[in-house]
Amino acid sequence: MPRRFYRLLDDVTLPGRWELGIPLDARGNEVEDPWMFREGRHVPPQQGLLVPIEHSGTPLDFSLAGFSTPVVSARVAAVFSERAAQDIQLVPVAVLGHAEPYFILVATRLIRCIDDEASEEVIRWTPQDGRPDRVGQYRDVDGMRIDPAQVGDVQVFRTWGWSIALIVSEDIKHALERIRASGIRFTEV
């Protein structure tokens, strides 16, 4: 039986939840390259990162901060460290006004596995779009499905060409459900 995978999403339907902003560097400026946290590779060492709260509310175990940067509590970080240490990097970050430890979750694997035929709609960048740096990559993917055969034993990854998608294995999904991690929504891919 093939392994099952899920896109890990921020549950924005939770009432009274906090919303986090763009990560800031030690000088209080927005990080120079906020996209680095979702490119599917290790990021350079970061010191003194801070995530501001855009809208106050209930703290969550999982939130997507600015630029879809995954920010996780120590409980969630422990699940990923225990089950997928080879696939992730945890970058310590302070959340403004909260003493508890938080981390930016970086998936360090980028896998070419989107199943174009099984997905609902796939649009790729073309030369006519005027973005030569993006030609061949995905411009939009709706109802994404992946080919699990391309994933191997990886537990957490980003999808090549559509790196906005953070994918976890069924094992990770069940572990996060067992600890009742708040703020998470799963969509099977």
Side-chain angles (χ1 to χ4, degrees):
M1 185 159 139
R3 291 175 61 206
R4 295 170 70 183
F5 293 91
Y6 299 82
R7 184 168 176 188
L8 187 57
L9 296 161
D10 195 349
D11 187 354
V12 296
T13 65
L14 294 173
R17 55 164 280 142
W18 68 4
E19 290 182 33
L20 303 179
I22 298 169
L24 307 174
D25 64 20
R27 295 182 308 275
N29 300 316
E30 291 181 3
V31 292
E32 188 173 320
D33 179 12
W35 303 104
M36 70 179 157
F37 300 117
R38 54 174 248 208
E39 291 180 345
R41 61 180 173 79
H42 280 89
V43 300
Q46 305 290 311
Q47 300 295 322
L49 291 181
L50 173 72
V51 175
I53 296 176
E54 294 290 317
H55 298 286
S56 61
T58 304
L60 301 173
D61 290 311
F62 177 87
S63 301
L64 291 178
F67 291 92
S68 296
T69 303
V71 175
V72 301
S73 67
R75 293 174 350 111
V76 169
V79 167
F80 280 95
S81 290
E82 179 184 307
R83 298 177 181 279
Q86 70 282 3
D87 302 330
I88 63 154
Q89 178 183 4
L90 293 169
V91 179
V93 62
V95 175
L96 192 61
H98 292 269
E100 302 85 3
Y102 284 90
F103 302 86
I104 293 175
L105 173 67
V106 178
T108 59
R109 306 287 184 111
L110 187 67
I111 300 177
R112 191 176 202 141
C113 63
I114 296 176
D115 186 333
D116 290 6
E117 298 301 316
S119 298
E120 287 177 26
E121 182 179 25
V122 170
I123 301 171
R124 290 181 181 265
W125 290 92
T126 66
Q128 294 78 14
D129 294 320
R131 292 287 310 270
D133 59 318
R134 305 289 307 251
V135 170
Q137 293 185 10
Y138 295 97
R139 185 172 181 170
D140 192 20
V141 180
D142 285 331
M144 182 174 64
R145 296 289 181 255
I146 67 166
D147 177 0
Q150 302 303 313
V151 177
D153 63 352
V154 176
Q155 300 292 313
V156 181
F157 60 95
R158 297 280 184 170
T159 51
W160 178 91
W162 190 247
S163 64
I164 194 170
L166 176 58
I167 310 298
V168 298
S169 68
E170 188 170 31
D171 179 54
I172 298 284
K173 175 186 183 280
H174 290 318
L176 293 171
E177 288 172 336
R178 274 193 298 277
I179 68 164
R180 294 192 162 115
S182 62
I184 297 178
R185 184 170 58 92
F186 299 98
T187 300
E188 189 167 5
V189 294

